[in-house]
Each structure stands twice: as structure tokens, then as C-alpha cells.
Amino acid sequence: MAHIDLGVDETEFPGVRGPMKYRPVTGKPMLELAETLLRGPLSLPTADRELIAAYVSGLNECTYCCSAHSAFAAALLDEGMPLVDQVRADPATAPISAKLRALLHIAGAVQRSGRDVTTELVEAARTEGATDEEIHDTVLIAAAFCMVNRYVDGLGTFAPSDPKFYEETARRVISVGYRNTV
Amino acid sequence: MQESEFPGVRGPLRFRPETGRPLLDLVEVLLRGPHSLTAGERELIAAYVSGRNECTYCCSAHSAYAAAQLDEGMSLVDQVHADPDRAPISAKLRALLRIAAAVQVSGREVTADLVEAARTEGATDLEIHDTVLIAAAFCMFNRYVDGLGTVPAADPGWYAQASERIATHGYLPVLDR
């Protein structure tokens, strides 16, 4: 049970969905932001963006967001959930590109504090070929999940434990996007 | 662009308007939309969280915006930054600031006891919801602003001038100026 009465059956609308239904005037711009950051026409592949979201949500120990975005990333990656698990365990040893590794290091810094993003971290990403836009988008995805994770857990929302829920949601999000799923 | 002309979050908002637009829409609804908490009280929550995240630009800006919209001005803002427990604010706002402080650490720090305490002081579900989301949103903005290494305004007077524009016209025109 969430800390406030969200006016929905939380098993039907778990995680961020309850608060978004409860307060659509704030839910709408949040969904627009998620749609642009995770699915919009940016240069980083959508799978990489979902991996960044899943990684940061894991660091914030947000069960709902981490389960959901891990499932979304797994559905978009050829290597599936085993790669997501390796990234979440340790991006430094996961079999990913040097560029994505450097961007995940930036995301990990953002999760602690914006002030932890050093010139060295940014320079390392640039050396591996990351553009200014990709560095910007990585910082904002990581920052946005520091918001959403706090929103979801700060209101004490329900997180399903059945992986099937997240796999089913992944199919919907990938085919019709965030706006039409949530 | 000249960062001195567009300090803090204003540079990144212009760099990527497709994300800047929903970010401004969110902050406009949260801090200035019709609400039982005054705009000054909501700006105070934003300023308080930004102070705890040590984000110079956001803390300076929202402290100025709060001061401009509160009868007691900057002296009250300073007292809240120093210690909400001793600041001369309502018991309800104090309880909401405790929730905001928990959110700043982690969503998981918001306990049923903190929420119950706010409710006992008269906070509604909507006020609790918006407090959590304002605090969470500033955990995003603070990281966005500092994670990109933006510079705060060089002249402290910039924030007071900006506060007049925000109080009159709101956040939406920020991308168009």
C-alpha cells in the first residue's frame, strides 16, 4: 500500500503508474521526458539508454524501476538479460563498448551527486568517441532516474515480484512507447 | 552560447530544447500550478533540497524565488536552510520539509511515520505527493546542473532580477528569452 491513497488498484497500476494516474498534470511532462530521453531520435541506441536507466535505478535500489528498465533493456539487446545483469554487477568488467562503459561511469557519478562528475570522467568518455550530445543525454537520463526512483519509493508504491509482469510491459513499451503504456 | 548570459540550468535547457520543454512544463506545474501550498512554500522546498544537494545555482535561484514570494523574505529562507526545526514556519510545512529531506537522501527513507506526522499537522495526500515530487525533481535538476559542470550566475543580483520575471511570467518563457 502506498503512503497516500492513489485511487487505483496498485496491483493493476504498480510502481510509477499509480502516481502518474493520481496526478496526470505532472505525469504528462514526466512521460514526455521519458519518451524523448529513452525512445526519441537521439544518437545513443535505445538499448544503451535503457541500460543506463536500469543501472542507475539499481544503484538507487528502486525495485520497480530497476526491474522494469532491466526488462526493457534486455528485450532490446541481442545478449538479453545476462548482459543487463553483468552491467548491473560491474560495468567495468561487462562485455560492452568502451564508450558505453565510460558513459556508465558518468551515470554512476551522477547517481551519487552531480558534483561527482569530474572533467576526467567526461574526457574519458570523449576519448572513447562520445559526443557532447551523448554526454548530455547520459547525465540527464541518470539525473531523471534519480527523480523517478525517489518518486516511486518516496510514495511507497507497490512493485510486482513476478518477472512476467515486467516482460509483458517491455513488449508494450517497445511497441507503443511510454505515452501509450502508462 | 555565452554561459554567463545563460547560467545554471538555462544552458542545458537551450542545448536540448526537446528535453528542456517537458522539464519546464514539469517545474511550472509543480511550483506555480494551482495548489493549496503557496508558490513561496513550494519554492522553499525546492531551495531547501537544492541546498542539501549543494547545488549553488539551483539553491541561489530558488532561494531568491522563494524570498520574492514570501512575506518574510530571505531571512526566513536562510532560517529554513539553517534548520527547519527552528525556523518560524507552520508545523505542517515543517513536517513536509522533513519528508523532502528524506527524499533527498533516498526515496526509501520516507517512512510511514514521516507521512503520518505530516497528515497529523493537516497535510493532504496531494500536498504529500507534491512535496515528494518537488524534492525528487530537484534531485534531478541539481544533478543535471552540476553533472554538466555549468556555472552559477557571476553577479548575485542576477537571481533577484530573475525572481521578478519568474514571479510574473513563470518558467515557460525561459526557453524563449
Side-chain angles (χ1 to χ4, degrees), chain B residues 24-62:
Chain B
L24 285 172
D25 287 344
L26 179 64
V27 88
E28 176 74 17
V29 171
L30 275 177
L31 299 181
R32 296 176 42 88
H35 207 280
S36 50
L37 295 174
T38 66
E41 289 173 320
R42 286 176 277 165
E43 289 286 359
L44 200 50
I45 297 170
Y48 176 61
V49 169
S50 300
R52 294 180 74 94
N53 280 323
E54 299 177 70
C55 181
T56 306
Y57 172 83
C58 294
C59 184
S60 307
H62 293 280

PDB file of all heavy atoms in Angstrom, chain B residues 24-62:
ATOM      1  N   LEU B  24      10.605  22.155 -18.244  1.00  0.00           N
ATOM      2  CA  LEU B  24       9.983  23.425 -17.829  1.00  0.00           C
ATOM      3  C   LEU B  24       8.493  23.234 -17.549  1.00  0.00           C
ATOM      4  O   LEU B  24       7.953  23.836 -16.612  1.00  0.00           O
ATOM      5  CB  LEU B  24      10.197  24.499 -18.900  1.00  0.00           C
ATOM      6  CG  LEU B  24      11.609  25.072 -18.963  1.00  0.00           C
ATOM      7  CD1 LEU B  24      11.763  25.974 -20.179  1.00  0.00           C
ATOM      8  CD2 LEU B  24      11.939  25.856 -17.687  1.00  0.00           C
ATOM      9  N   ASP B  25       7.828  22.396 -18.353  1.00  0.00           N
ATOM     10  CA  ASP B  25       6.405  22.118 -18.103  1.00  0.00           C
ATOM     11  C   ASP B  25       6.228  21.521 -16.703  1.00  0.00           C
ATOM     12  O   ASP B  25       5.309  21.881 -15.972  1.00  0.00           O
ATOM     13  CB  ASP B  25       5.860  21.110 -19.137  1.00  0.00           C
ATOM     14  CG  ASP B  25       5.685  21.736 -20.517  1.00  0.00           C
ATOM     15  OD1 ASP B  25       5.682  22.973 -20.624  1.00  0.00           O
ATOM     16  OD2 ASP B  25       5.554  20.966 -21.493  1.00  0.00           O
ATOM     17  N   LEU B  26       7.131  20.601 -16.340  1.00  0.00           N
ATOM     18  CA  LEU B  26       7.044  19.941 -15.036  1.00  0.00           C
ATOM     19  C   LEU B  26       7.239  20.942 -13.899  1.00  0.00           C
ATOM     20  O   LEU B  26       6.475  20.973 -12.929  1.00  0.00           O
ATOM     21  CB  LEU B  26       8.083  18.819 -14.949  1.00  0.00           C
ATOM     22  CG  LEU B  26       8.130  18.052 -13.619  1.00  0.00           C
ATOM     23  CD1 LEU B  26       6.826  17.304 -13.358  1.00  0.00           C
ATOM     24  CD2 LEU B  26       9.303  17.050 -13.613  1.00  0.00           C
ATOM     25  N   VAL B  27       8.268  21.778 -14.027  1.00  0.00           N
ATOM     26  CA  VAL B  27       8.567  22.710 -12.933  1.00  0.00           C
ATOM     27  C   VAL B  27       7.485  23.781 -12.814  1.00  0.00           C
ATOM     28  O   VAL B  27       7.141  24.229 -11.715  1.00  0.00           O
ATOM     29  CB  VAL B  27      10.004  23.278 -13.111  1.00  0.00           C
ATOM     30  CG1 VAL B  27      10.038  24.511 -13.966  1.00  0.00           C
ATOM     31  CG2 VAL B  27      10.650  23.516 -11.767  1.00  0.00           C
ATOM     32  N   GLU B  28       6.892  24.168 -13.932  1.00  0.00           N
ATOM     33  CA  GLU B  28       5.804  25.164 -13.910  1.00  0.00           C
ATOM     34  C   GLU B  28       4.592  24.614 -13.141  1.00  0.00           C
ATOM     35  O   GLU B  28       4.030  25.291 -12.284  1.00  0.00           O
ATOM     36  CB  GLU B  28       5.426  25.544 -15.347  1.00  0.00           C
ATOM     37  CG  GLU B  28       4.247  26.489 -15.467  1.00  0.00           C
ATOM     38  CD  GLU B  28       4.553  27.931 -15.076  1.00  0.00           C
ATOM     39  OE1 GLU B  28       5.745  28.300 -15.011  1.00  0.00           O
ATOM     40  OE2 GLU B  28       3.592  28.684 -14.820  1.00  0.00           O
ATOM     41  N   VAL B  29       4.211  23.370 -13.437  1.00  0.00           N
ATOM     42  CA  VAL B  29       3.063  22.762 -12.740  1.00  0.00           C
ATOM     43  C   VAL B  29       3.379  22.584 -11.259  1.00  0.00           C
ATOM     44  O   VAL B  29       2.568  22.922 -10.395  1.00  0.00           O
ATOM     45  CB  VAL B  29       2.720  21.382 -13.358  1.00  0.00           C
ATOM     46  CG1 VAL B  29       1.685  20.662 -12.495  1.00  0.00           C
ATOM     47  CG2 VAL B  29       2.202  21.532 -14.766  1.00  0.00           C
ATOM     48  N   LEU B  30       4.588  22.066 -10.971  1.00  0.00           N
ATOM     49  CA  LEU B  30       4.934  21.746  -9.583  1.00  0.00           C
ATOM     50  C   LEU B  30       5.048  22.985  -8.712  1.00  0.00           C
ATOM     51  O   LEU B  30       4.624  22.973  -7.558  1.00  0.00           O
ATOM     52  CB  LEU B  30       6.269  20.997  -9.535  1.00  0.00           C
ATOM     53  CG  LEU B  30       6.214  19.491  -9.732  1.00  0.00           C
ATOM     54  CD1 LEU B  30       7.625  18.932  -9.716  1.00  0.00           C
ATOM     55  CD2 LEU B  30       5.364  18.832  -8.644  1.00  0.00           C
ATOM     56  N   LEU B  31       5.671  24.048  -9.239  1.00  0.00           N
ATOM     57  CA  LEU B  31       5.983  25.198  -8.388  1.00  0.00           C
ATOM     58  C   LEU B  31       4.986  26.343  -8.523  1.00  0.00           C
ATOM     59  O   LEU B  31       4.903  27.193  -7.644  1.00  0.00           O
ATOM     60  CB  LEU B  31       7.401  25.705  -8.679  1.00  0.00           C
ATOM     61  CG  LEU B  31       8.533  24.693  -8.423  1.00  0.00           C
ATOM     62  CD1 LEU B  31       9.888  25.313  -8.713  1.00  0.00           C
ATOM     63  CD2 LEU B  31       8.489  24.165  -6.996  1.00  0.00           C
ATOM     64  N   ARG B  32       4.229  26.365  -9.632  1.00  0.00           N
ATOM     65  CA  ARG B  32       3.344  27.517  -9.848  1.00  0.00           C
ATOM     66  C   ARG B  32       1.911  27.144 -10.202  1.00  0.00           C
ATOM     67  O   ARG B  32       1.055  28.024 -10.318  1.00  0.00           O
ATOM     68  CB  ARG B  32       3.926  28.415 -10.940  1.00  0.00           C
ATOM     69  CG  ARG B  32       5.267  29.022 -10.548  1.00  0.00           C
ATOM     70  CD  ARG B  32       5.872  29.832 -11.686  1.00  0.00           C
ATOM     71  NE  ARG B  32       4.906  30.635 -12.364  1.00  0.00           N
ATOM     72  CZ  ARG B  32       4.564  31.873 -12.011  1.00  0.00           C
ATOM     73  NH1 ARG B  32       5.144  32.447 -10.980  1.00  0.00           N
ATOM     74  NH2 ARG B  32       3.653  32.536 -12.706  1.00  0.00           N
ATOM     75  N   GLY B  33       1.635  25.865 -10.425  1.00  0.00           N
ATOM     76  CA  GLY B  33       0.260  25.470 -10.742  1.00  0.00           C
ATOM     77  C   GLY B  33      -0.672  25.733  -9.571  1.00  0.00           C
ATOM     78  O   GLY B  33      -0.217  25.973  -8.448  1.00  0.00           O
ATOM     79  N   PRO B  34      -2.012  25.716  -9.822  1.00  0.00           N
ATOM     80  CA  PRO B  34      -2.978  25.947  -8.748  1.00  0.00           C
ATOM     81  C   PRO B  34      -2.782  24.914  -7.630  1.00  0.00           C
ATOM     82  O   PRO B  34      -2.692  23.720  -7.919  1.00  0.00           O
ATOM     83  CB  PRO B  34      -4.339  25.729  -9.419  1.00  0.00           C
ATOM     84  CG  PRO B  34      -4.080  25.625 -10.882  1.00  0.00           C
ATOM     85  CD  PRO B  34      -2.636  25.379 -11.101  1.00  0.00           C
ATOM     86  N   HIS B  35      -2.669  25.375  -6.386  1.00  0.00           N
ATOM     87  CA  HIS B  35      -2.315  24.447  -5.310  1.00  0.00           C
ATOM     88  C   HIS B  35      -2.658  25.007  -3.948  1.00  0.00           C
ATOM     89  O   HIS B  35      -2.691  26.223  -3.771  1.00  0.00           O
ATOM     90  CB  HIS B  35      -0.803  24.172  -5.359  1.00  0.00           C
ATOM     91  CG  HIS B  35      -0.440  22.831  -4.802  1.00  0.00           C
ATOM     92  ND1 HIS B  35      -0.324  22.580  -3.467  1.00  0.00           N
ATOM     93  CD2 HIS B  35      -0.181  21.665  -5.429  1.00  0.00           C
ATOM     94  CE1 HIS B  35      -0.005  21.307  -3.285  1.00  0.00           C
ATOM     95  NE2 HIS B  35       0.097  20.731  -4.464  1.00  0.00           N
ATOM     96  N   SER B  36      -2.885  24.111  -2.983  1.00  0.00           N
ATOM     97  CA  SER B  36      -3.147  24.558  -1.611  1.00  0.00           C
ATOM     98  C   SER B  36      -1.863  25.036  -0.922  1.00  0.00           C
ATOM     99  O   SER B  36      -1.930  25.823   0.021  1.00  0.00           O
ATOM    100  CB  SER B  36      -3.795  23.432  -0.802  1.00  0.00           C
ATOM    101  OG  SER B  36      -3.060  22.240  -0.943  1.00  0.00           O
ATOM    102  N   LEU B  37      -0.693  24.564  -1.382  1.00  0.00           N
ATOM    103  CA  LEU B  37       0.561  25.147  -0.882  1.00  0.00           C
ATOM    104  C   LEU B  37       0.861  26.383  -1.736  1.00  0.00           C
ATOM    105  O   LEU B  37       0.716  26.340  -2.960  1.00  0.00           O
ATOM    106  CB  LEU B  37       1.729  24.151  -1.021  1.00  0.00           C
ATOM    107  CG  LEU B  37       1.666  22.872  -0.181  1.00  0.00           C
ATOM    108  CD1 LEU B  37       2.819  21.942  -0.562  1.00  0.00           C
ATOM    109  CD2 LEU B  37       1.721  23.197   1.312  1.00  0.00           C
ATOM    110  N   THR B  38       1.319  27.472  -1.102  1.00  0.00           N
ATOM    111  CA  THR B  38       1.601  28.677  -1.880  1.00  0.00           C
ATOM    112  C   THR B  38       2.855  28.448  -2.736  1.00  0.00           C
ATOM    113  O   THR B  38       3.660  27.547  -2.470  1.00  0.00           O
ATOM    114  CB  THR B  38       1.858  29.892  -0.971  1.00  0.00           C
ATOM    115  OG1 THR B  38       3.083  29.652  -0.243  1.00  0.00           O
ATOM    116  CG2 THR B  38       0.718  30.120   0.014  1.00  0.00           C
ATOM    117  N   ALA B  39       3.004  29.302  -3.767  1.00  0.00           N
ATOM    118  CA  ALA B  39       4.201  29.217  -4.614  1.00  0.00           C
ATOM    119  C   ALA B  39       5.453  29.425  -3.760  1.00  0.00           C
ATOM    120  O   ALA B  39       6.474  28.756  -3.954  1.00  0.00           O
ATOM    121  CB  ALA B  39       4.119  30.249  -5.738  1.00  0.00           C
ATOM    122  N   GLY B  40       5.360  30.349  -2.796  1.00  0.00           N
ATOM    123  CA  GLY B  40       6.510  30.604  -1.919  1.00  0.00           C
ATOM    124  C   GLY B  40       6.899  29.364  -1.120  1.00  0.00           C
ATOM    125  O   GLY B  40       8.081  29.054  -0.979  1.00  0.00           O
ATOM    126  N   GLU B  41       5.898  28.641  -0.595  1.00  0.00           N
ATOM    127  CA  GLU B  41       6.187  27.413   0.172  1.00  0.00           C
ATOM    128  C   GLU B  41       6.813  26.346  -0.715  1.00  0.00           C
ATOM    129  O   GLU B  41       7.742  25.640  -0.304  1.00  0.00           O
ATOM    130  CB  GLU B  41       4.886  26.873   0.807  1.00  0.00           C
ATOM    131  CG  GLU B  41       4.381  27.738   1.950  1.00  0.00           C
ATOM    132  CD  GLU B  41       3.004  27.305   2.461  1.00  0.00           C
ATOM    133  OE1 GLU B  41       2.128  26.939   1.636  1.00  0.00           O
ATOM    134  OE2 GLU B  41       2.794  27.357   3.679  1.00  0.00           O
ATOM    135  N   ARG B  42       6.316  26.228  -1.945  1.00  0.00           N
ATOM    136  CA  ARG B  42       6.860  25.207  -2.847  1.00  0.00           C
ATOM    137  C   ARG B  42       8.280  25.565  -3.286  1.00  0.00           C
ATOM    138  O   ARG B  42       9.145  24.701  -3.394  1.00  0.00           O
ATOM    139  CB  ARG B  42       5.918  25.020  -4.047  1.00  0.00           C
ATOM    140  CG  ARG B  42       4.654  24.266  -3.664  1.00  0.00           C
ATOM    141  CD  ARG B  42       3.685  24.158  -4.821  1.00  0.00           C
ATOM    142  NE  ARG B  42       2.870  25.350  -4.967  1.00  0.00           N
ATOM    143  CZ  ARG B  42       2.152  25.639  -6.062  1.00  0.00           C
ATOM    144  NH1 ARG B  42       2.186  24.846  -7.109  1.00  0.00           N
ATOM    145  NH2 ARG B  42       1.413  26.724  -6.101  1.00  0.00           N
ATOM    146  N   GLU B  43       8.533  26.860  -3.520  1.00  0.00           N
ATOM    147  CA  GLU B  43       9.897  27.283  -3.854  1.00  0.00           C
ATOM    148  C   GLU B  43      10.852  27.031  -2.680  1.00  0.00           C
ATOM    149  O   GLU B  43      12.027  26.710  -2.872  1.00  0.00           O
ATOM    150  CB  GLU B  43       9.918  28.780  -4.229  1.00  0.00           C
ATOM    151  CG  GLU B  43       9.263  29.114  -5.560  1.00  0.00           C
ATOM    152  CD  GLU B  43      10.099  28.691  -6.776  1.00  0.00           C
ATOM    153  OE1 GLU B  43      11.211  28.144  -6.614  1.00  0.00           O
ATOM    154  OE2 GLU B  43       9.617  28.911  -7.907  1.00  0.00           O
ATOM    155  N   LEU B  44      10.290  27.169  -1.470  1.00  0.00           N
ATOM    156  CA  LEU B  44      11.101  26.920  -0.277  1.00  0.00           C
ATOM    157  C   LEU B  44      11.540  25.450  -0.218  1.00  0.00           C
ATOM    158  O   LEU B  44      12.693  25.152   0.127  1.00  0.00           O
ATOM    159  CB  LEU B  44      10.269  27.288   0.962  1.00  0.00           C
ATOM    160  CG  LEU B  44      10.957  27.581   2.285  1.00  0.00           C
ATOM    161  CD1 LEU B  44      12.084  28.590   2.125  1.00  0.00           C
ATOM    162  CD2 LEU B  44       9.929  28.112   3.297  1.00  0.00           C
ATOM    163  N   ILE B  45      10.645  24.535  -0.564  1.00  0.00           N
ATOM    164  CA  ILE B  45      11.006  23.100  -0.604  1.00  0.00           C
ATOM    165  C   ILE B  45      12.104  22.883  -1.656  1.00  0.00           C
ATOM    166  O   ILE B  45      13.089  22.178  -1.410  1.00  0.00           O
ATOM    167  CB  ILE B  45       9.754  22.228  -0.909  1.00  0.00           C
ATOM    168  CG1 ILE B  45       8.719  22.372   0.212  1.00  0.00           C
ATOM    169  CG2 ILE B  45      10.152  20.763  -1.113  1.00  0.00           C
ATOM    170  CD1 ILE B  45       7.352  21.746  -0.096  1.00  0.00           C
ATOM    171  N   ALA B  46      11.946  23.504  -2.826  1.00  0.00           N
ATOM    172  CA  ALA B  46      12.941  23.369  -3.906  1.00  0.00           C
ATOM    173  C   ALA B  46      14.301  23.921  -3.459  1.00  0.00           C
ATOM    174  O   ALA B  46      15.352  23.306  -3.695  1.00  0.00           O
ATOM    175  CB  ALA B  46      12.457  24.097  -5.157  1.00  0.00           C
ATOM    176  N   ALA B  47      14.276  25.074  -2.808  1.00  0.00           N
ATOM    177  CA  ALA B  47      15.522  25.701  -2.341  1.00  0.00           C
ATOM    178  C   ALA B  47      16.194  24.842  -1.271  1.00  0.00           C
ATOM    179  O   ALA B  47      17.415  24.632  -1.282  1.00  0.00           O
ATOM    180  CB  ALA B  47      15.231  27.104  -1.791  1.00  0.00           C
ATOM    181  N   TYR B  48      15.389  24.322  -0.357  1.00  0.00           N
ATOM    182  CA  TYR B  48      15.909  23.510   0.754  1.00  0.00           C
ATOM    183  C   TYR B  48      16.601  22.249   0.229  1.00  0.00           C
ATOM    184  O   TYR B  48      17.731  21.924   0.626  1.00  0.00           O
ATOM    185  CB  TYR B  48      14.745  23.167   1.689  1.00  0.00           C
ATOM    186  CG  TYR B  48      15.085  22.257   2.825  1.00  0.00           C
ATOM    187  CD1 TYR B  48      16.032  22.624   3.792  1.00  0.00           C
ATOM    188  CD2 TYR B  48      14.441  21.032   2.976  1.00  0.00           C
ATOM    189  CE1 TYR B  48      16.331  21.779   4.852  1.00  0.00           C
ATOM    190  CE2 TYR B  48      14.730  20.192   4.030  1.00  0.00           C
ATOM    191  CZ  TYR B  48      15.685  20.560   4.965  1.00  0.00           C
ATOM    192  OH  TYR B  48      15.979  19.724   6.003  1.00  0.00           O
ATOM    193  N   VAL B  49      15.946  21.531  -0.680  1.00  0.00           N
ATOM    194  CA  VAL B  49      16.534  20.313  -1.255  1.00  0.00           C
ATOM    195  C   VAL B  49      17.804  20.660  -2.049  1.00  0.00           C
ATOM    196  O   VAL B  49      18.818  19.964  -1.947  1.00  0.00           O
ATOM    197  CB  VAL B  49      15.502  19.580  -2.141  1.00  0.00           C
ATOM    198  CG1 VAL B  49      16.146  18.476  -2.964  1.00  0.00           C
ATOM    199  CG2 VAL B  49      14.375  19.002  -1.275  1.00  0.00           C
ATOM    200  N   SER B  50      17.754  21.755  -2.809  1.00  0.00           N
ATOM    201  CA  SER B  50      18.928  22.155  -3.608  1.00  0.00           C
ATOM    202  C   SER B  50      20.104  22.509  -2.706  1.00  0.00           C
ATOM    203  O   SER B  50      21.264  22.246  -3.052  1.00  0.00           O
ATOM    204  CB  SER B  50      18.582  23.355  -4.501  1.00  0.00           C
ATOM    205  OG  SER B  50      17.534  23.021  -5.382  1.00  0.00           O
ATOM    206  N   GLY B  51      19.808  23.078  -1.545  1.00  0.00           N
ATOM    207  CA  GLY B  51      20.865  23.373  -0.572  1.00  0.00           C
ATOM    208  C   GLY B  51      21.488  22.091  -0.048  1.00  0.00           C
ATOM    209  O   GLY B  51      22.710  21.977   0.081  1.00  0.00           O
ATOM    210  N   ARG B  52      20.646  21.116   0.240  1.00  0.00           N
ATOM    211  CA  ARG B  52      21.170  19.831   0.750  1.00  0.00           C
ATOM    212  C   ARG B  52      21.981  19.097  -0.310  1.00  0.00           C
ATOM    213  O   ARG B  52      22.895  18.352   0.017  1.00  0.00           O
ATOM    214  CB  ARG B  52      20.023  18.959   1.268  1.00  0.00           C
ATOM    215  CG  ARG B  52      19.361  19.571   2.503  1.00  0.00           C
ATOM    216  CD  ARG B  52      18.226  18.718   3.008  1.00  0.00           C
ATOM    217  NE  ARG B  52      18.701  17.515   3.670  1.00  0.00           N
ATOM    218  CZ  ARG B  52      18.908  17.399   4.978  1.00  0.00           C
ATOM    219  NH1 ARG B  52      18.692  18.432   5.772  1.00  0.00           N
ATOM    220  NH2 ARG B  52      19.327  16.272   5.474  1.00  0.00           N
ATOM    221  N   ASN B  53      21.640  19.318  -1.589  1.00  0.00           N
ATOM    222  CA  ASN B  53      22.445  18.734  -2.666  1.00  0.00           C
ATOM    223  C   ASN B  53      23.649  19.623  -3.023  1.00  0.00           C
ATOM    224  O   ASN B  53      24.379  19.311  -3.971  1.00  0.00           O
ATOM    225  CB  ASN B  53      21.581  18.510  -3.915  1.00  0.00           C
ATOM    226  CG  ASN B  53      20.734  17.246  -3.809  1.00  0.00           C
ATOM    227  OD1 ASN B  53      21.179  16.239  -3.257  1.00  0.00           O
ATOM    228  ND2 ASN B  53      19.519  17.295  -4.343  1.00  0.00           N
ATOM    229  N   GLU B  54      23.827  20.707  -2.313  1.00  0.00           N
ATOM    230  CA  GLU B  54      24.937  21.643  -2.534  1.00  0.00           C
ATOM    231  C   GLU B  54      25.022  22.134  -3.983  1.00  0.00           C
ATOM    232  O   GLU B  54      26.108  22.269  -4.537  1.00  0.00           O
ATOM    233  CB  GLU B  54      26.275  20.998  -2.136  1.00  0.00           C
ATOM    234  CG  GLU B  54      26.328  20.606  -0.669  1.00  0.00           C
ATOM    235  CD  GLU B  54      27.636  19.897  -0.323  1.00  0.00           C
ATOM    236  OE1 GLU B  54      28.678  20.560  -0.321  1.00  0.00           O
ATOM    237  OE2 GLU B  54      27.601  18.668  -0.087  1.00  0.00           O
ATOM    238  N   CYS B  55      23.860  22.366  -4.576  1.00  0.00           N
ATOM    239  CA  CYS B  55      23.832  22.875  -5.955  1.00  0.00           C
ATOM    240  C   CYS B  55      23.716  24.397  -5.897  1.00  0.00           C
ATOM    241  O   CYS B  55      22.638  24.948  -5.643  1.00  0.00           O
ATOM    242  CB  CYS B  55      22.648  22.269  -6.712  1.00  0.00           C
ATOM    243  SG  CYS B  55      22.567  22.826  -8.421  1.00  0.00           S
ATOM    244  N   THR B  56      24.828  25.073  -6.134  1.00  0.00           N
ATOM    245  CA  THR B  56      24.885  26.523  -5.933  1.00  0.00           C
ATOM    246  C   THR B  56      23.866  27.278  -6.781  1.00  0.00           C
ATOM    247  O   THR B  56      23.146  28.141  -6.283  1.00  0.00           O
ATOM    248  CB  THR B  56      26.305  27.052  -6.233  1.00  0.00           C
ATOM    249  OG1 THR B  56      27.217  26.306  -5.428  1.00  0.00           O
ATOM    250  CG2 THR B  56      26.437  28.532  -5.914  1.00  0.00           C
ATOM    251  N   TYR B  57      23.809  26.932  -8.077  1.00  0.00           N
ATOM    252  CA  TYR B  57      22.885  27.672  -8.956  1.00  0.00           C
ATOM    253  C   TYR B  57      21.436  27.489  -8.503  1.00  0.00           C
ATOM    254  O   TYR B  57      20.719  28.458  -8.288  1.00  0.00           O
ATOM    255  CB  TYR B  57      23.030  27.252 -10.431  1.00  0.00           C
ATOM    256  CG  TYR B  57      21.955  27.874 -11.280  1.00  0.00           C
ATOM    257  CD1 TYR B  57      22.086  29.173 -11.752  1.00  0.00           C
ATOM    258  CD2 TYR B  57      20.763  27.196 -11.542  1.00  0.00           C
ATOM    259  CE1 TYR B  57      21.063  29.781 -12.481  1.00  0.00           C
ATOM    260  CE2 TYR B  57      19.733  27.781 -12.261  1.00  0.00           C
ATOM    261  CZ  TYR B  57      19.897  29.076 -12.733  1.00  0.00           C
ATOM    262  OH  TYR B  57      18.884  29.671 -13.433  1.00  0.00           O
ATOM    263  N   CYS B  58      20.993  26.216  -8.376  1.00  0.00           N
ATOM    264  CA  CYS B  58      19.578  25.961  -8.048  1.00  0.00           C
ATOM    265  C   CYS B  58      19.228  26.519  -6.672  1.00  0.00           C
ATOM    266  O   CYS B  58      18.135  27.052  -6.466  1.00  0.00           O
ATOM    267  CB  CYS B  58      19.268  24.462  -8.055  1.00  0.00           C
ATOM    268  SG  CYS B  58      19.406  23.678  -9.674  1.00  0.00           S
ATOM    269  N   CYS B  59      20.142  26.379  -5.727  1.00  0.00           N
ATOM    270  CA  CYS B  59      19.860  26.867  -4.376  1.00  0.00           C
ATOM    271  C   CYS B  59      19.750  28.387  -4.368  1.00  0.00           C
ATOM    272  O   CYS B  59      18.819  28.943  -3.778  1.00  0.00           O
ATOM    273  CB  CYS B  59      20.932  26.367  -3.408  1.00  0.00           C
ATOM    274  SG  CYS B  59      20.560  26.841  -1.708  1.00  0.00           S
ATOM    275  N   SER B  60      20.673  29.072  -5.059  1.00  0.00           N
ATOM    276  CA  SER B  60      20.610  30.542  -5.124  1.00  0.00           C
ATOM    277  C   SER B  60      19.331  30.995  -5.823  1.00  0.00           C
ATOM    278  O   SER B  60      18.642  31.916  -5.372  1.00  0.00           O
ATOM    279  CB  SER B  60      21.812  31.106  -5.893  1.00  0.00           C
ATOM    280  OG  SER B  60      23.014  30.618  -5.357  1.00  0.00           O
ATOM    281  N   ALA B  61      19.008  30.328  -6.948  1.00  0.00           N
ATOM    282  CA  ALA B  61      17.848  30.751  -7.746  1.00  0.00           C
ATOM    283  C   ALA B  61      16.552  30.534  -6.957  1.00  0.00           C
ATOM    284  O   ALA B  61      15.760  31.473  -6.789  1.00  0.00           O
ATOM    285  CB  ALA B  61      17.809  29.974  -9.062  1.00  0.00           C
ATOM    286  N   HIS B  62      16.347  29.327  -6.428  1.00  0.00           N
ATOM    287  CA  HIS B  62      15.059  29.052  -5.785  1.00  0.00           C
ATOM    288  C   HIS B  62      14.955  29.715  -4.412  1.00  0.00           C
ATOM    289  O   HIS B  62      13.851  30.009  -3.961  1.00  0.00           O
ATOM    290  CB  HIS B  62      14.772  27.548  -5.789  1.00  0.00           C
ATOM    291  CG  HIS B  62      14.561  27.057  -7.197  1.00  0.00           C
ATOM    292  ND1 HIS B  62      13.364  27.223  -7.861  1.00  0.00           N
ATOM    293  CD2 HIS B  62      15.418  26.504  -8.095  1.00  0.00           C
ATOM    294  CE1 HIS B  62      13.490  26.769  -9.104  1.00  0.00           C
ATOM    295  NE2 HIS B  62      14.729  26.322  -9.278  1.00  0.00           N
TER     296      HIS B  62
END
